[in-house]
Amino acid sequence: MKTPLQLAIYGGLALCMLNFKAKSQTNHVKATLFEGAVVLSYIDHGAAVNCTGPGLKYTCKPFSLLVGLLPSLKIKEDKSPGNAPKNATIIPSLGCGVTAIYKHIVLQMPMLYTAKTSSKDGKWNVGVGLGYKF
């Protein structure tokens, strides 16, 4: 004959097994080369057009979070004093950042490097962007 403690343990395990439901694994982290998102962002008193490049992507449908490299085109007029040489208005750049994707809406926090000019030292700048995933 079974003791009441054994009956309680077996009964509890049986109830637990009957209440669990099997779920597919939709949450996962994987490496990605290109996500198909284009973002227009505001950085350092200028604009940038960013694409999502290689990175790590966490997916929990319909939401995705991507941390990786951002190939970009920075658009900013260089205001150098006097006859000092100026940088080009459109400059290709490679930055990094965090990208949040909900269905087709993209919100991004890019970091791009601004090169040294005659009046300013070079530094990393953080911006914010909004875009679309194709």
Side-chain angles (χ1 to χ4, degrees), residues 58-70:
Y58 170 76
T59 303
C60 179
K61 294 285 183 182
F63 180 77
S64 296
L65 188 66
L66 181 88
V67 177
L69 299 177
L70 305 172

Side-chain angles (χ1 to χ4, degrees), residues 36-92:
V38 176
V39 178
L40 182 62
S41 58
Y42 175 77
I43 299 176
D44 190 33
H45 306 293
V49 178
N50 306 326
C51 297
T52 52
L56 292 175
K57 177 181 167 186
Y58 170 76
T59 303
C60 179
K61 294 285 183 182
F63 180 77
S64 296
L65 188 66
L66 181 88
V67 177
L69 299 177
L70 305 172
S72 306
L73 287 175
K74 291 192 298 186
I75 305 166
K76 183 180 177 186
E77 183 180 357
D78 187 16
K79 297 179 182 176
S80 298
N83 293 341
K86 295 185 177 185
N87 287 331
T89 304
I90 299 175
I91 302 169

Side-chain angles (χ1 to χ4, degrees), residues 2-119:
K2 298 194 180 215
T3 66
L5 181 60
Q6 287 177 329
L7 287 175
I9 291 172
Y10 292 137
L13 288 174
L15 284 174
C16 287
M17 289 174 54
L18 292 174
N19 287 327
F20 285 136
K21 295 180 182 176
K23 293 183 180 179
S24 64
Q25 294 180 353
T26 57
N27 302 348
H28 59 280
V29 176
K30 69 175 187 172
T32 181
L33 286 177
F34 182 73
E35 194 57 34
V38 176
V39 178
L40 182 62
S41 58
Y42 175 77
I43 299 176
D44 190 33
H45 306 293
V49 178
N50 306 326
C51 297
T52 52
L56 292 175
K57 177 181 167 186
Y58 170 76
T59 303
C60 179
K61 294 285 183 182
F63 180 77
S64 296
L65 188 66
L66 181 88
V67 177
L69 299 177
L70 305 172
S72 306
L73 287 175
K74 291 192 298 186
I75 305 166
K76 183 180 177 186
E77 183 180 357
D78 187 16
K79 297 179 182 176
S80 298
N83 293 341
K86 295 185 177 185
N87 287 331
T89 304
I90 299 175
I91 302 169
S93 180
L94 179 65
C96 59
V98 178
T99 305
I101 302 170
Y102 178 74
K103 296 185 180 178
H104 291 284
I105 299 170
V106 179
L107 183 63
Q108 190 175 73
M109 191 173 77
M111 283 180 37
L112 296 176
Y113 186 76
T114 302
K116 180 182 177 184
T117 63
S118 60
S119 61

